[in-house]
């Protein structure tokens, strides 16, 4: 009988279905392994469930974890089998040198060892409703590129009475704090956003982030911006025709393709053009796959380890990568897959689908501020930032207060994490 491997994921539809179809095709392609996928709710819910299951001795073999949980998983000790160890122990070769450095590096330890298996990496982009642009007398083929242009476009859209709010952002902190910091080459935290070790402190209370969040509050009061809720809740607004411009994960493309009943485009994130040197590259989002022990007294067998390693080798191949990228809008993670998709003419047939890659390479100089974020307890810190931002948007506190509070509370989480992990 084949080895059965449990795989928990956190992707909503239609992405979850595409992921499960990928797994089903793999199951059909060989006899040794059967992977059993199961949807466990949002990324944060999946993370909490996997950690609790480890304690109970019932953890899945593989769990999909968003990038925000990376430092936490790296510190999870015995619960996790690092990918480099899995590959060594099973004698499996995966050529990580062909992976995009921004992706591979996000999931590597300080000494360059692969901790988790990159899979659905995204970056954030802009989707816009071309029909609404036409109604507003805007060029539907020219999305705003700067925040000044965005504001002008929002006013035109509002005046056109399209029935939709002009602008919204999904993943509120990813888009409005984390990506804004990266694009403008400004630190989110000290110690290279945490990559240089424990002991980092938040630096989000700075003039650029204050200015941006104050803009959101102002735009909201003028009916130009709508806060769409925490995490990916605002994803629904663009495909439903309820928002004309959304900043969201490039992985939203699959849903827009499926649900939008209007012409739409995919473009780069806007930036503040009076910030010298901006914009540089955006950071990745999305998730990677972590290998877990079953529990404190439930370790994996050699056959299970071999099965997981084989599956990881399979998903690193150009064919699997290219299919996932073109089906969903997530990045092609290897150069080989990108070349294959380019040669197929896919980007000519699907304008905008190359934007995430171009934006990830924009500026050509990744810095400590645009490499990514490696902060312990970042899942919790995001909740704190969302809470404080919400209070500002509800008029309960000025943005300056929200940033001061988020910094104090977030730094407390960082200090606790440091204390628990220094030993
Ligand atoms: O929607 P995803 O999968 O690209 O994830 C978006 C963010 O990275 C989550 O932190």
């Amino acid at each position: 009988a084949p080895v059965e491997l449990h795989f928990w994921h956190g992707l909503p539809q239609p992405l979850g279905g595409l992921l499960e179809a990928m797994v089903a095709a793999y199951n059909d392609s060989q006899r040794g392994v059967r992977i059993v996928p199961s949807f466990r709710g949002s990324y944060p819910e999946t993370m909490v469930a996997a950690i609790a299951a480890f304690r109970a001795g019932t953890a899945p073999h593989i769990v999909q974890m968003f990038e925000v949980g990376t430092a936490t998983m790296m510190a999870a000790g015995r619960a996790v089998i690092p990918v480099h160890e899995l590959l060594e122990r099973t004698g499996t070769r995966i050529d990580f040198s062909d992976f995009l450095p921004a992706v591979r590096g996000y999931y590597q330890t300080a000494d360059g060892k692969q901790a988790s298996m990159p899979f659905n990496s995204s970056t954030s982009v802009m989707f816009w409703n071309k029909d609404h642009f036409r109604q507003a007398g805007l060029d539907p083929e020219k999305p705003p590129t700067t925040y000044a242009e965005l504001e002008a476009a929002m006013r035109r859209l509002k005046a056109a009475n399209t029935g939709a709010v002009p602008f919204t952002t999904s993943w509120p902190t990813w888009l409005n704090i984390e990506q804004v910091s990266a694009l403008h080459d400004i630190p989110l935290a000290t110690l290279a956003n945490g990559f240089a070790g424990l002991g980092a402190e938040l630096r989000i209370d700075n003039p650029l982030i204050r200015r941006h969040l104050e803009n959101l509050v102002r735009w909201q009061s003028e009916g130009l911006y709508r806060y769409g809720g925490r995490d990916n809740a605002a994803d629904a607004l663009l495909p439903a025709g309820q928002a004309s411009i959304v900043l969201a994960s490039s992985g939203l493309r699959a849903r827009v393709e499926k649900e939008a009943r209007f012409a739409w485009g995919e473009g780069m994130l806007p930036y503040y053009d009076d910030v010298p040197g901006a914009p540089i590259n955006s950071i990745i989002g999305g998730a990677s796959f972590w290998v877990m022990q079953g529990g404190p007294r439930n370790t994996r067998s050699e056959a299970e380890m071999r099965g997981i390693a084989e599956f990881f080798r399979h998903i690193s191949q150009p064919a699997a990568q290219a299919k996932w990228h073109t089906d969903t809008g997530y990045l092609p993670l290897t150069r080989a897959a990108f070349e294959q998709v380019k040669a197929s003419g896919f980007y000519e047939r699907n304008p905008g689908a190359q934007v995430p890659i171009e934006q990830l390479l924009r500026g050509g100089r990744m810095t400590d501020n645009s490499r990514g974020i490696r902060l312990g307890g970042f899942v919790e810190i995001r909740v704190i930032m969302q809470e404080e931002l919400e209070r500002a948007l509800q008029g309960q506190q000025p943005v300056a207060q929200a940033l001061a509070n988020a910094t104090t509370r977030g730094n407390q989480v960082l200090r606790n994490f440091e204390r628990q992990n220094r030993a």
Side-chain angles (χ1 to χ4, degrees):
V3 182
E4 208 166 86
L5 301 175
H6 294 269
F7 169 39
W8 290 5
H9 74 82
L11 284 180
Q13 295 302 346
L15 291 168
L18 291 165
L19 182 64
E20 292 184 7
M22 183 274 280
V23 167
Y26 179 68
N27 284 343
D28 288 344
S29 75
Q30 44 76 49
R31 289 160 175 279
V33 178
R34 201 171 80 87
I35 299 182
V36 185
S38 139
F39 174 60
R40 293 288 155 155
S42 68
Y43 287 145
E45 285 162 352
T46 302
M47 173 160 167
V48 170
I51 292 168
F54 173 77
R55 295 201 185 108
T58 57
H61 298 82
I62 304 168
V63 64
Q64 181 188 40
M65 185 74 62
F66 64 160
E67 89 290 13
V68 175
T70 302
T72 301
M73 288 303 275
M74 280 184 178
R78 291 175 310 152
V80 162
I81 305 171
V83 161
H84 70 90
E85 202 179 300
L86 173 90
L87 300 181
E88 271 158 36
R89 280 172 57 182
T90 56
T92 312
R93 246 193 72 74
I94 293 177
D95 181 13
F96 285 109
S97 70
D98 196 46
F99 277 62
L100 292 173
V103 171
R104 149 186 101 205
Y106 208 103
Y107 302 108
Q108 280 173 343
T109 57
D111 54 353
K113 290 183 167 147
Q114 207 64 40
S116 65
M117 182 67 202
F119 181 67
N120 60 313
S121 287
S122 61
T123 190
S124 12
V125 293
M126 172 194 288
F127 292 97
W128 77 97
N129 182 319
K130 293 185 178 177
D131 293 1
H132 289 172
F133 270 52
R134 249 178 237 115
Q135 279 176 52
L138 294 163
D139 183 345
E141 302 309 326
K142 277 219 178 76
T145 59
T146 65
Y147 274 106
E149 286 177 16
L150 176 70
E151 182 163 337
M154 288 192 281
R155 292 192 192 289
R156 297 280 290 269
L157 287 160
K158 175 143 193 281
N161 282 319
T162 60
V165 72
F167 179 51
T168 190
T169 48
S170 193
W171 295 103
T173 73
W174 191 39
L175 268 304
N176 294 306
I177 298 179
E178 299 153 34
Q179 294 289 21
V180 171
S181 302
L183 288 186
H184 300 88
D185 199 11
I186 286 180
L188 180 101
T190 57
L191 291 173
N193 286 347
F195 272 93
L198 290 168
E201 287 178 6
L202 292 177
R203 284 289 179 267
I204 56 174
D205 191 358
N206 66 62
L208 178 73
I209 298 300
R210 200 171 319 141
R211 167 188 180 185
H212 181 64
L213 299 187
E214 280 170 355
N215 280 341
L216 290 186
V217 172
R218 183 167 56 84
W219 294 335
Q220 178 193 250
S221 72
E222 294 178 44
L224 303 174
Y225 172 76
R226 174 163 147 205
Y227 178 74
R230 291 187 190 182
D231 300 333
N232 63 356
D235 277 358
L237 297 179
L238 181 108
Q242 291 169 8
S244 304
I245 302 172
V246 65
L247 307 185
S249 165
S250 60
L252 183 59
R253 189 176 174 101
R255 181 165 175 186
V256 177
E257 259 167 9
K258 185 158 178 262
E259 295 176 8
R261 298 288 170 267
F262 49 83
W264 52 274
E266 176 175 356
M268 291 204 189
L269 295 175
Y271 62 97
Y272 290 97
D273 58 348
D274 55 354
V275 175
I280 59 169
N281 64 287
S282 56
I283 54 176
I284 66 157
S288 67
F289 295 165
W290 291 80
V291 184
M292 293 189 79
Q293 298 285 11
R297 276 176 303 278
N298 173 9
T299 53
R300 302 304 182 196
S301 70
E302 286 308 313
E304 288 172 315
M305 301 261 287
R306 263 199 312 278
I308 302 167
E310 250 326 293
F311 177 56
F312 284 1
R313 211 188 53 76
H314 168 78
I315 61 174
S316 72
Q317 299 302 301
Q321 282 287 320
K323 177 158 173 50
W324 177 250
H325 161 57
T326 54
D327 278 357
T328 62
Y330 281 98
L331 296 160
L333 300 194
T334 62
R335 232 173 327 213
F338 180 48
E339 292 305 331
Q340 182 174 318
V341 173
K342 218 169 20 179
S344 77
F346 178 80
Y347 299 120
E348 279 85 63
R349 293 192 305 277
N350 296 274
Q354 79 294 352
V355 162
I357 287 250
E358 287 171 1
Q359 190 185 257
L360 203 65
L361 303 173
R362 181 152 64 161
R365 54 176 191 102
M366 199 195 287
T367 71
D368 280 352
N369 300 323
S370 67
R371 180 171 164 205
I373 300 157
R374 177 73 59 78
L375 298 176
F378 198 45
V379 179
E380 209 180 318
I381 294 171
R382 261 202 183 169
V383 174
I384 289 170
M385 293 194 294
Q386 290 180 132
E387 281 171 7
E388 297 295 343
L389 172 63
E390 284 168 3
R391 271 180 219 139
L393 286 163
Q394 287 155 9
Q396 292 167 13
Q397 65 183 2
V399 162
Q401 189 64 51
L403 287 172
N405 292 351
T407 302
T408 308
R409 294 175 62 198
N411 282 341
Q412 191 61 51
V413 173
L414 288 170
R415 270 194 299 277
N416 287 342
F417 185 85
E418 186 187 357
R419 202 171 312 122
Q420 282 157 20
N421 290 284
R422 271 264 188 240

